[in-house]
């Protein structure tokens, strides 16, 4: 596996664009397209929220029922959630418009929206945006970047990643982009993330690879504990690498899964680190757990703790809050066995041994917590399972952004 | 039931005091005692956190094994959590000191601590504080107020309440005090709350009344989703009202339960409204739920949502966040049936009907959300069950307080 530049246009046959459509924002790109020259196998996971936005309902149907997908139309600014039948009809109309503009079947068009809940989409501007996107789309890496920028809301930077693998001498590429920094606590997948690949692989195997991987990547990040109505992760595979089909139980499948994992984990961590108002990417690593699932629950409980997040913001080695978060996670363990460490580029320090504070230096601990990437490592001494979860610190800016999000 | 002034010293035979002991804070009261002239029946609920502070372990043992309790020693500043065997021995020593100073059995002394986790108590100062408390204790209402003030940490005001009921012509009094505004998301009970009563009632019935009531009171508040290691709720009944014993299945028991409920709900709401940095008490009321438990889960999900809390702080009628919080609560419902209202002293407004935004006035909604007590009312139209949960808004000050709590 080799990391390379680019995002959704890195793989063969994929085009993209980002344009200004004035959906809610002015003077910035707010609509994007991903288009594949050939029809794609689709896999997807969606929000587990009972309240599902209209585009989620549309995409679930397409992923489950359509043989292929060929384009995704994304808008930022309005989420098209809590919009009833009218909102759903706008998904149909968007797909209809894209089908015409891109010359693909209507049921090969996916849609995704992000932004404020409870407002209807301005359909005339969406339709105009689709026309612009169809004209602007290109297979350059820059076109992928434009798309990644267009789907941002409160993100401070765009997020994309790409890797290459060899499948029996044939180069296969995977690329992805994502957005999201508020309302991030994905349960089935994340806010909006799109992965493209030119691999030849069956829908069944692609779906399985995706579902197995999201539990350790997108489902392990949290910015604020709020699971969005719009969480969507789509993977499109157009087969244009013309590799020998990737089959279950082969080294090639393992390599493909590792590449997909890299894409997913990278995008997930980018989202966590760019959480609303964040100054640091917070990683909670749990080792020595009795089961994998318990390791996941424990690590996620730490990155979700408001008090832990505020302590990280203050560079305050208030480890009791992390022990406390482990304790209310729902997982049973022996508090008198837990070891706790802080790690970052600035070093590593043990703050708690067998459940009791060590005689650590507050100054050094604070220095370690002052880095832009900070790890809290807990050794439960219950078994051999590990997991990691990612979040960010809780800051004044998180409150500021969310106290006047809609203004 | 009549609401009256006072707190833990309102009921007959109870004394209290609050003194300066310099445990961590300087120049403020930081230790309190509640003392009963006669031995008391005890009931208690404690944190469900796997990591239990030493005083929680001590008190659980006393409540379960001792026939009676007669005094509670509380300190603020250091939580005596994650302190191992040494920390537990300080509970024993505190009980020992209080037993001597108050002339009661050691196993009739309960202890409670609140503050920073991971530090050991300064036992010399605790012992000196106990001596001061023993001398200062009095049965006046003011003494109760002193105690309520001494147990505060980041609280902005002390919290107490008292009521009277008639049991076959005999006046029975209940009073209580509590503290806590951070690390509040009680699962078994709240941070620290103490209820005293002069009622004659059996331990079994008192325990049952308490356990039935906490699920609708203390367990329904959340400031930040962090369940403390120290949550403790103690009820002491000394029987000095000399009423005919309150028996199960009688109108007197119903009256007693109503009084206990009033005390618990009042203290719980006081804590929620005084959440760290809060500018508003946030109530989430759910009606029309299929089951009581689902109503509880739904309402609690709304008061726990960071995005909802930030919106309330910004007086922003961003109802999508509340619908979203209902949706990820884990309860199944039909999103296209939900009605949502905002209520406060300033009025009432419907912002969502059958899952879709109404044509409400943003200005009026914002005015309603600007009051110090705000209710979000959701009608699920699934059945007839209701519940309420209480929290507060999320503010800059919450972050400020918790980013440098220990300094």
């Amino acid at each position: 596996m080799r990391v390379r530049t680019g995002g959704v246009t890195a793989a063969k046959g994929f085009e993209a664009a980002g344009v200004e459509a004035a959906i809610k924002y002015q003077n910035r790109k707010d609509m994007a397209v991903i288009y594949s020259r050939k029809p794609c196998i689709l896999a997807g996971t969606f929000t587990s929220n009972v309240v599902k936005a209209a585009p989620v309902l549309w995409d679930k149907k397409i992923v489950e029922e359509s043989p292929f997908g060929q384009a995704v139309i994304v808008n930022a600014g309005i989420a098209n959630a809590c919009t009833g039948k009218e909102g759903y009809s706008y998904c149909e109309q968007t797909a209809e418009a894209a089908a015409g503009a891109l010359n693909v079947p209507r049921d090969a068009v996916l849609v995704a929206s992000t932004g404020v809940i409870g407002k209807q989409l301005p359909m005339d501007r969406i339709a105009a945006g689709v026309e612009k996107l169809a004209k602007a789309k290109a297979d350059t890496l820059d076109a992928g970047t434009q798309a990644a920028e267009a789907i941002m809301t409160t993100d401070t930077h765009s997020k994309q990643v790409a890797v290459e693998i060899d499948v029996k001498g044939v180069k296969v590429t995977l690329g992805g982009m994502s957005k999201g920094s508020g309302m991030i606590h994905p349960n089935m997948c994340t806010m909006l993330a799109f992965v493209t690949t030119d691999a030849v692989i069956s829908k069944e195997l692609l779906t399985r690879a995706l579902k197995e991987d999201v539990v350790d990547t997108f489902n392990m990040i949290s910015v604020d504990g709020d699971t969005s109505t719009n969480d969507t992760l789509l993977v499109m595979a157009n087969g244009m690498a013309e590799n020998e089909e990737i089959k279950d139980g082969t080294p090639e499948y393992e390599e493909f899964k590792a590449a997909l994992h890299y894409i997913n984990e990278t995008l997930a961590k980018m989202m966590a680190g760019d959480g609303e108002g964040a100054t640091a990417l917070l990683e909670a690593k749990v080792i020595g757990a009795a089961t994998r699932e318990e390791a996941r629950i424990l690590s996620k409980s730490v990155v979700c703790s408001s008090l832990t997040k505020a302590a990280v913001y203050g560079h305050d080695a208030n480890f009791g809050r992390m022990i406390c978060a482990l304790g209310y996670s729902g997982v049973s363990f022996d508090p008198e066995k837990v070891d706790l460490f802080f790690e970052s580029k600035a070093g590593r320090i043990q703050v708690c041994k067998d459940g009791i504070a060590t005689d650590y230096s507050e100054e050094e601990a604070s220095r370690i917590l002052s880095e832009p990437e900070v790890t809290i490592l807990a050794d439960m001494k219950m078994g051999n399972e590990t997991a990691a979860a990612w979040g960010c610190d809780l800051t004044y800016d998180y409150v500021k952004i969310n106290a006047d999000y809609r203004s």
Side-chain angles (χ1 to χ4, degrees), chain A:
Chain A
M1 182 168 65
R2 290 172 307 279
V3 177
R4 47 159 294 179
T5 54
V8 291
T9 52
K12 239 183 234 171
F14 285 97
E15 303 184 13
V19 301
E20 293 184 18
I23 302 307
K24 190 185 81 137
Y25 304 114
Q26 303 299 324
N27 303 318
R28 55 152 280 191
K29 292 186 283 291
D30 59 354
M31 280 190 74
V33 66
I34 305 171
Y35 166 81
S36 171
R37 288 188 202 135
K38 288 203 175 168
C40 298
I41 293 290
L42 297 175
T45 60
F46 302 92
T47 183
S48 60
N49 199 311
V50 170
V51 181
K52 292 183 200 332
V56 167
L57 298 174
W58 174 265
D59 288 358
K60 269 175 88 85
K61 192 167 157 315
I62 299 295
V63 168
E64 283 162 16
E65 298 175 13
S66 280
F68 298 105
Q70 204 161 349
V72 190
I73 303 291
V74 192
N75 78 276
I78 293 179
N80 195 6
C82 298
T83 48
K85 287 186 179 51
E86 185 181 348
Y88 190 77
S89 82
Y90 292 153
C91 298
E92 294 173 319
Q93 291 175 46
T94 304
E96 193 80 52
L102 297 167
N103 194 28
V104 299
R106 193 182 85 145
D107 68 356
V109 180
L110 299 129
V111 295
S113 299
T114 171
V116 67
I117 296 175
K119 300 278 176 211
Q120 296 291 354
L121 288 174
M123 200 51 220
D124 50 339
R125 276 177 270 167
I126 292 281
V130 167
E131 291 298 326
K132 273 175 110 169
L133 288 169
K135 286 198 191 93
K137 74 183 163 47
D139 63 4
T140 59
L141 295 187
D142 181 60
T145 304
Q146 302 276 324
E149 288 170 0
I151 64 175
M152 291 163 57
T153 53
T154 49
D155 304 62
T156 63
H157 54 80
S158 62
K159 299 164 183 75
Q160 55 180 345
V161 59
V163 296
E164 291 171 0
I165 57 173
D166 278 313
V167 175
K168 297 196 177 165
V170 176
K171 187 175 80 176
V172 166
T173 304
L174 293 89
M177 67 177 187
S178 66
K179 66 76 51 184
S181 64
M183 213 177 256
I184 296 282
H185 182 91
N187 206 349
M188 275 295 285
C189 59
T190 188
M191 196 65 176
L192 295 185
F194 307 96
V195 178
T196 56
T197 177
D198 46 22
V200 178
I201 185 169
S202 73
K203 178 163 184 158
E204 291 63 37
L205 201 55
L206 182 64
T207 301
R208 202 213 298 169
L210 181 65
K211 294 213 187 289
E212 285 177 9
D213 196 61
V214 291
V215 295
D216 287 315
T217 54
F218 290 107
N219 284 6
M220 292 305 283
I221 65 169
S222 178
V223 168
D224 50 20
D226 284 274
T227 301
S228 160
T229 52
N230 288 55
D231 289 347
T232 298
L233 164 58
L234 288 172
V235 185
M236 308 170 75
N238 68 8
M240 288 177 71
E242 297 186 343
N243 55 290
E244 191 178 298
E245 188 182 331
I246 296 169
K247 295 280 196 183
D248 191 18
T250 62
E252 288 72 30
Y253 179 53
E254 292 308 310
E255 179 81 1
F256 180 80
K257 278 206 296 187
L260 183 63
H261 179 72
Y262 182 83
I263 296 276
N264 287 346
E265 184 178 299
T266 303
L267 291 176
K269 285 171 74 169
M270 281 176 172
M271 280 190 279
D274 193 24
E276 285 178 338
T279 70
L281 169 66
L282 171 61
E283 177 179 61
K285 228 184 225 168
V286 166
I287 63 172
T291 70
R292 186 72 178 276
E293 184 54 20
E294 290 190 352
R296 288 189 190 111
I297 293 168
L298 287 162
S299 56
K300 202 150 179 194
S301 188
V302 173
V303 295
C304 290
S305 155
S306 293
L307 290 172
T308 295
K309 293 161 64 171
V312 171
Y313 176 51
H315 308 152
D316 178 4
N318 203 330
F319 78 90
R321 295 179 176 175
M322 298 136 202
I323 296 272
C324 179
L326 294 170
Y328 63 67
S329 67
V331 172
S332 178
F333 61 88
D334 183 351
E336 294 182 11
K337 277 188 179 173
V338 178
D339 290 353
L340 209 70
F341 305 81
F342 297 153
E343 290 177 351
S344 75
K345 262 195 205 162
R348 174 190 166 109
I349 192 166
Q350 179 163 12
V351 290
C352 177
K353 187 176 162 51
D354 298 327
I356 302 174
T358 61
D359 190 24
Y360 64 89
S361 151
E362 290 281 355
E363 205 178 323
E364 194 192 339
S366 182
R367 201 167 48 79
I368 289 170
L369 291 176
S370 303
E371 292 291 316
E373 298 193 10
V374 169
T375 297
I376 298 166
L377 172 67
D379 185 350
M380 312 307 294
K381 299 184 200 154
M382 305 280 288
N384 294 310
E385 295 295 334
T386 68
W390 301 277
C392 58
D393 54 345
L394 175 63
T395 69
Y396 298 119
D397 279 354
Y398 177 84
V399 178
K400 184 167 164 50
I401 290 164
N402 286 298
D404 55 19
Y405 173 49
R406 298 191 313 166
S407 57

